[in-house]
Amino acid sequence: MSAVATPVSPMLVRLAAEKATGALLRDHGTLYLVDGRVVHAESPAAPGVDVLLTTGGRLPRENWDEAVDRAGAHRAVGRFLVDSGRLQDGELEICHLGAVFDAAFFALSPTSGPTRFRYGVGHWFGTVRPVSAEAVERETVRRRELLDAVWPYPAVDTAPVVPRPAAPGQTVGARQRALLAAADGERTPAELARLLGRPAFHTLLDVRRLAAAGLVETPLTPEPEPVPPALLPVPPVPDPDIALLRRLRDALEAHL
């Protein structure tokens, strides 16, 4: 995996080399591997395939529930949606790949928590199109760099989205208008992504672009607590001049 100088997840690199099958569990999400390739990903920060399909309007919710009920135990929900005529192969592949890269971006975010791998664990959605671990890492790095290039203030990613008035003549596209209309000053980008049925990363990107344009507030970074000044060292008291003290004593005694 030479394309990524410093691996986002050294364990993912090792598991890919081992051609391992199972679930890579991290603080912000889980990646599912088959023979070392990523076949699914999920994260609390990213809408799942169900939200992207149903909230996005492509699939009625009852069709999704039917697929889970009938094919979930066989880890073949994706295949059922195609075989039953609910989706075309290409539609499913595009939607699922988008959900995988979206969730993987958050699952592979920096963390101080433990990373674990459970061998042999699979996901009930099933395999649609495996992706190399190298491609997932490369895309994760690209997305991080893109966000910072647009507006290098990551605080907007998790704070409530607070719209600001547009300047005279300032306009935005339809997608960003819908995002601003849904932003009530309390919903975070992740909540807006679920509400609108959109990938979370693309929502973050829109929020950062809007913040760069002054149409969304950028939270102030808290000022670091001031460090109390170090106490100045007390200068040492010089030793008294013994000879001077003796002269003073002698002078006092001479006047007694």
Side-chain angles (χ1 to χ4, degrees):
M1 297 181 63
S2 58
V4 180
T6 302
V8 174
S9 170
M11 183 178 284
L12 178 59
V13 175
R14 177 173 61 80
L15 293 169
E18 291 178 3
K19 299 187 183 301
T21 296
L24 177 63
L25 290 80
R26 292 170 58 91
D27 275 358
H28 305 296
T30 303
L31 273 65
Y32 294 85
L33 280 66
V34 172
D35 296 331
R37 295 170 69 83
V38 179
V39 297
H40 195 73
E42 56 188 14
S43 168
V49 183
D50 60 329
V51 175
L52 298 179
L53 286 172
T54 59
T55 305
R58 177 57 190 85
L59 191 71
R61 186 74 206 192
E62 56 268 23
N63 288 165
W64 172 265
D65 293 340
E66 177 193 15
V68 173
D69 289 342
R70 296 182 59 178
H74 306 290
R75 297 180 183 174
V77 172
R79 179 44 46 195
F80 179 88
L81 290 170
V82 173
D83 291 346
S84 62
R86 304 293 193 272
L87 295 174
Q88 298 296 318
D89 264 318
E91 286 181 298
L92 177 65
E93 184 174 307
I94 291 172
C95 182
H96 185 254
L97 280 177
V100 166
F101 282 117
D102 196 37
F105 172 77
F106 296 97
L108 294 175
S109 61
T111 176
S112 58
T115 298
R116 304 175 301 280
F117 188 72
R118 296 176 59 190
Y119 284 91
V121 174
H123 194 274
W124 47 263
F125 190 81
T127 299
V128 176
R129 179 179 176 181
V131 183
S132 71
E134 179 181 9
V136 171
E137 286 226 337
R138 185 171 58 245
E139 179 62 11
T140 297
V141 171
R142 186 190 73 84
R143 292 185 178 204
R144 289 180 186 175
E145 293 174 346
L146 179 57
L147 286 176
D148 286 340
V150 169
W151 190 240
Y153 296 91
V156 302
D157 297 347
T158 54
V161 179
V162 180
R164 297 181 62 189
Q170 190 176 20
T171 60
V172 296
R175 188 181 70 249
Q176 292 179 340
R177 280 201 305 274
L179 193 156
L180 287 171
D184 59 359
E186 296 182 0
R187 296 187 181 103
T188 63
E191 291 169 335
L192 288 170
R194 283 190 170 80
L195 178 69
L196 298 171
R198 298 177 181 178
F201 170 77
H202 294 98
T203 304
L204 290 187
L205 191 58
D206 277 337
V207 169
R208 288 218 194 185
R209 284 173 174 158
L210 289 167
L215 294 170
V216 161
E217 288 188 4
T218 297
L220 295 176
T221 303
E223 293 292 334
E225 291 292 329
V227 179
L231 294 176
L232 295 175
V234 177
V237 177
D239 292 335
D241 188 330
I242 302 300
L244 176 60
L245 292 177
R246 283 176 178 170
R247 288 197 299 271
L248 288 174
R249 184 197 62 188
D250 293 342
L252 288 171
E253 290 178 349
H255 289 82
L256 293 176

